[in-house]
Amino acid sequence: MTVEQSTKIAPPLPRHSRRTIAIGTFLLLLVATGLITYIAFGYMLTRKPIAALLPLPRISALQQTTPPIYAGVISKLAGPMSIAVSPDGERVYVAESDGERVVKVFNPSGNLLQTLSPPNTSAGQRKPMYIAVDKNGRVFVSDRQRPAVHMYDDKGAWIGVYQPEEAEKDWSPLGLNVQSDGSLIVTNVEGNAHSVLVFARNERLIRRITHPLTGDKLSFPNGAVQDSLGRTYVSDSNNGRLLTFDSTGAVVGQIESTDAKAGLAMPRGVALDDDGRLYVADASSDLVRVFQTGEKLEYLYSFGSTGVDSGQFRFPNGVTVDSKGRIWVADWGNNRVQMWRY
């Protein structure tokens, strides 16, 4: 006996159901079209690049394994010794040791905004060396000719000379660095006892750093900066080494010229970025060396080479990192300042 299987055919949807589905589909398409139009119209109004609308995540120092790349230049300078940038990143200060011996102020595009110099002085009576800027935009400039540290407000007006008690004795300020707490680090190269001095906001001396070993001295330290752990990194220039001091003044780290991988020839300016990377301008080697700070300095990489082309240096003397992460290098021998970025 054969059993026949019946096939059931679904009845057609009622006319009112088909109408409901069509209306729903139309409404969905209308909403999607409106949303796309709204986004496109907003984009046209703001005219922001895609990178601004969808910012890329910041690469941390632990992730960053490649050096920064060359990104721009301010040229036609006269022996730029050092560089600093205002907190908002819009004013770039360059100390010229030749020519008129002034501090020139540029915007990041390289347009000259103004020049700074102590009042009633000529080029032969001043020689700006290193610059530091505090969080309020106040500018400090060391002057090897006088010697002194001049101060300017955030608009470039001269407001006086930095006058701690030490300025009345052995005082020849060179390297400068302002810390996040407002304290000012000054490398003092007067006489035979070169040192690093740390001053509170009220110009009171709160710390003096010298080499603790008998018979071993600092020789023309050009830069000093302190990290979040209280360690102070000093470029001991004429001794060709980078020293790390802890909060007690003990030497807890040292990188010398004999180091096969990270050896320094003539370290000058130093700077720290927000990720704890330490940048050292190695003047005689025509490059900038980069270290990771922490319990122990770790050499990461260097950037630059000898020459006159873009991305090359001739006696780089100063380095700084601005609030936007841009790295600025005073390329003294090429009479220019270079900007690098990751």
Side-chain angles (χ1 to χ4, degrees):
M1 183 176 61
T2 303
V3 179
E4 295 183 356
Q5 294 181 347
S6 63
T7 302
K8 294 183 178 180
I9 300 175
L13 291 172
R15 182 176 299 177
H16 67 84
S17 298
R18 293 198 300 269
R19 185 183 300 114
T20 301
I21 292 173
I23 293 173
T25 303
F26 174 76
L27 289 176
L28 284 174
L29 288 174
L30 186 63
V31 171
T33 303
L35 182 60
I36 293 172
T37 303
Y38 173 77
I39 294 173
F41 184 69
Y43 174 75
M44 292 300 293
L45 285 179
T46 58
R47 293 185 180 273
K48 293 181 181 179
I50 296 298
L53 292 175
L54 300 172
L56 294 174
R58 182 173 179 175
I59 299 176
S60 70
L62 295 178
Q63 297 171 311
Q64 184 66 51
T65 58
T66 57
I69 59 173
Y70 170 83
V73 66
I74 299 175
S75 56
K76 297 181 180 179
L77 300 171
M81 291 296 292
S82 67
I83 187 167
V85 183
S86 60
D88 62 3
E90 296 303 313
R91 290 170 66 87
V92 181
Y93 299 88
V94 182
E96 291 188 320
S97 61
D98 296 330
E100 288 300 309
R101 293 182 170 183
V102 295
V103 173
K104 289 185 176 178
V105 188
F106 300 88
N107 65 16
S109 298
N111 300 313
L112 181 65
L113 303 178
Q114 65 184 132
T115 60
L116 313 181
S117 61
N120 304 316
T121 60
S122 63
Q125 296 172 315
R126 59 184 181 243
K127 189 172 185 178
M129 296 296 288
Y130 285 94
I131 313 172
V133 183
D134 69 14
K135 62 183 180 182
N136 296 318
R138 187 171 55 160
V139 182
F140 301 83
V141 182
S142 62
D143 186 341
R144 283 283 285 159
Q145 192 70 27
R146 302 198 60 172
V149 174
H150 298 284
M151 298 183 294
Y152 301 85
D153 66 17
D154 60 340
K155 300 298 189 298
W158 186 81
I159 56 177
V161 175
Y162 193 76
Q163 286 287 357
E165 290 184 6
E166 281 61 31
E168 301 174 3
K169 297 173 280 187
D170 296 331
W171 180 244
S172 186
L174 185 58
L176 302 175
N177 210 306
V178 178
Q179 300 302 109
S180 59
D181 62 359
S183 59
L184 179 66
I185 299 179
V186 181
T187 66
N188 186 25
V189 295
E190 177 63 27
N192 295 321
H194 296 178
S195 60
V196 176
L197 308 176
V198 184
F199 297 95
R201 293 176 61 89
N202 61 2
E203 301 185 7
R204 178 179 60 87
L205 180 67
I206 56 178
R207 189 178 178 193
R208 183 191 301 270
I209 300 173
T210 58
H211 203 291
L213 298 181
T214 302
D216 199 344
K217 298 180 179 180
L218 299 177
S219 182
F220 288 91
N222 271 238
V225 65
Q226 190 175 94
D227 68 11
S228 59
L229 298 175
R231 291 180 170 85
T232 303
Y233 305 95
V234 179
S235 61
D236 191 12
S237 298
N238 284 18
N239 284 324
R241 61 188 178 183
L242 179 68
L243 297 173
T244 304
F245 295 87
D246 67 12
S247 58
T248 69
V251 176
V252 293
Q254 181 168 307
I255 295 177
E256 300 188 67
S257 59
T258 55
D259 190 301
K261 188 176 181 181
L264 297 160
M266 186 179 287
R268 289 296 182 91
V270 296
L272 268 175
D273 69 11
D274 291 340
D275 289 316
R277 286 182 291 245
L278 176 68
Y279 299 81
V280 183
D282 195 356
S284 294
S285 296
D286 296 327
L287 49 78
V288 176
R289 297 191 186 276
V290 186
F291 302 84
Q292 182 63 49
T293 59
E295 292 299 325
K296 182 180 179 181
L297 271 185
E298 176 189 354
Y299 176 69
L300 296 177
Y301 40 71
S302 63
F303 61 91
S305 60
T306 303
V308 299
D309 294 333
S310 298
Q312 294 185 313
F313 301 123
R314 290 175 58 214
F315 211 88
N317 197 80
V319 61
T320 194
V321 183
D322 68 18
S323 58
K324 302 179 185 301
R326 298 172 298 200
I327 305 150
W328 299 85
V329 182
D331 188 8
W332 180 85
N334 285 323
N335 292 315
R336 64 189 180 187
V337 163
Q338 297 190 41
M339 189 261 283
W340 296 64
R341 68 189 321 158
Y342 290 105

